[in-house]
Amino acid sequence: MASLPKYITSECVRRVLKMEDLIPVVETAMANFSKGKEGGVVQPPRQFLPYQDNGGYLLLMAASSNKDRAVSTKLVSRFFQNGDTDKVVRQDIVIYTDPTDGLIKAIMDAEDLSLMRTAAASAVASKFLAPKDSKILCLLGCGGMAKAHHTALNCIYDFKQTRVWSRTFANAQRFASEIKAEACESAEHAAKDADVIVTATWTTTPILQYQWVKPGAHINCIGAVRPNKQELSTELMQSAIVYADSKASAMAESGDVIISKAEIHGEIGDLVNGTVEAHRDKTTVFKSQGMAIEDAVTAKLVYEKYMELDGL
């Protein structure tokens, strides 16, 4: 009789998953994804299942990697009406499967896993696209995603100054105190002269304008993953060199790409593979949609670290 899957809590994920271990794992997965069939990655389109008449949805993301020997399925449930109650609005669960025997090895609370793998992907993009002497980091948004990006990007560059902005200045002040940054009352002030900018918000309309971004800066655009939402102005998207984690996903789902009609120059995996040029001297955008293969390799790393530290 097969043993029951391990249940790995968010607390355990935070304890075993280290950004310096995760970034190279995600980089390899992105490279394999962009190799097509040769890379051995199978990643069906994500599925959105709406909760009828309630404004929420269930998101399903699955992927496997032959080279990474990893398989996972992620379920994300969002129920926005819970915002006025004591119930959570969002739940993330990853089911990790061993491809050598088909057994489900673990069920993981994936909130922190999702934040960290997304930030790791941005770190890979910034490694190839941001100015090599990057010193100023700008974080637009002050939630868990911004915090994960602060950790990940500081693994790549030695930033001397970090500026943060939120629509609510008190939130920016709180976050700035937590990460030892400067809280800004406007996104324009936060972005001024920044080498690397992260947009990680729930906005539906642009919060970052072309004229606020210095030439040669790199932008990690994380939010606005649905066709009707934008974080970056159309002028900024059209003037920048745009890269994506998945070109197909960005073209089908990203409002920043769809509304602006911006051309996608290539995927981050193409940069890793050396098949697309990295325009480090120009303003660049990484449009992150998030990929299931990132979940799969991250879940594998979590499971292996968990078993090493906790045993049976």
Side-chain angles (χ1 to χ4, degrees):
M1 180 178 177
S3 60
L4 292 174
K6 303 291 184 183
Y7 180 69
I8 303 178
T9 65
S10 257
E11 181 182 2
C12 288
V13 171
R14 289 192 296 271
R15 180 158 56 92
V16 304
L17 189 57
K18 305 302 179 186
M19 196 63 77
E20 55 268 27
D21 297 327
L22 179 59
I23 292 171
V25 168
V26 170
E27 179 174 330
T28 299
M30 297 177 89
N32 286 336
F33 173 80
S34 294
K35 290 178 181 176
K37 290 184 179 181
E38 179 189 344
V41 173
V42 177
Q43 182 176 276
R46 71 188 86 198
Q47 299 295 312
F48 284 87
L49 303 178
Y51 296 132
Q52 298 296 331
D53 302 323
N54 289 310
Y57 60 83
L58 181 68
L59 170 66
L60 293 85
M61 299 173 63
S64 67
S65 173
N66 187 46
K67 291 186 176 181
D68 291 305
R69 310 302 295 166
V71 179
S72 79
T73 302
K74 182 160 77 173
L75 305 177
V76 179
S77 178
R78 286 186 180 171
F79 201 88
F80 299 104
Q81 291 183 5
N82 285 349
D84 297 325
T85 73
D86 58 355
K87 299 177 182 179
V88 297
V89 172
R90 172 172 175 158
Q91 285 182 296
D92 294 33
I93 295 292
V94 163
I95 302 169
Y96 172 66
T97 305
D98 187 340
T100 64
D101 56 18
L103 296 180
I104 295 174
K105 295 296 187 181
I107 299 172
M108 307 178 189
D109 188 323
E111 180 178 1
D112 289 282
L113 184 153
S114 298
L115 296 176
M116 292 181 70
R117 62 83 152 148
T118 303
S122 293
V124 176
S126 301
K127 170 183 171 181
F128 286 90
L129 296 173
K132 290 184 178 181
D133 60 346
S134 292
K135 298 299 181 186
I136 301 177
L137 173 63
C138 165
L139 301 172
L140 303 182
C142 294
M145 187 64 77
K147 185 176 181 180
H149 273 75
H150 180 258
T151 299
L153 292 169
N154 274 279
C155 290
I156 304 299
Y157 295 106
D158 182 20
F159 293 104
K160 302 302 182 185
Q161 183 181 12
T162 299
R163 305 194 199 110
V164 303
W165 171 84
S166 173
R167 291 189 188 277
T168 305
F169 186 55
N171 289 343
Q173 290 177 307
R174 171 196 53 76
F175 184 52
S177 176
E178 183 179 347
I179 65 170
K180 296 180 173 57
E182 175 190 350
C184 299
E185 294 195 60
S186 71
E188 180 179 4
H189 179 199
K192 180 178 174 59
D193 295 325
D195 299 295
V196 178
I197 301 171
V198 177
T199 58
T201 71
W202 291 105
T203 188
T204 57
T205 56
I207 57 167
L208 186 62
Q209 302 297 324
Y210 165 78
Q211 59 268 29
W212 301 348
V213 178
K214 79 171 186 179
H218 172 65
I219 304 161
N220 295 301
C221 181
I222 310 305
V225 295
R226 301 301 295 147
N228 62 335
K229 298 180 179 182
Q230 286 179 282
E231 286 192 307
L232 312 187
S233 71
T234 293
E235 185 179 9
L236 177 54
M237 284 292 292
Q238 290 181 343
S239 65
I241 308 296
V242 181
Y243 301 80
D245 42 14
S246 165
K247 186 174 182 179
S249 177
M251 292 177 65
E253 299 174 347
S254 166
D256 279 298
V257 173
I258 295 169
I259 296 170
S260 70
K261 297 181 172 60
E263 179 184 351
I264 298 176
H265 186 69
E267 295 177 342
I268 301 304
D270 294 325
L271 295 176
V272 181
N273 294 329
T275 55
V276 164
E277 183 179 358
H279 291 276
R280 200 187 288 269
D281 58 324
K282 299 180 181 179
T283 302
T284 55
V285 171
F286 166 43
K287 184 63 205 92
S288 172
Q289 289 295 106
M291 296 198 298
I293 191 57
E294 297 166 359
D295 296 320
V297 297
T298 304
K300 179 184 179 183
L301 181 60
V302 168
Y303 178 75
E304 290 175 344
K305 294 290 186 181
Y306 175 83
M307 295 303 291
E308 287 174 8
L309 294 177
D310 291 83
L312 298 179

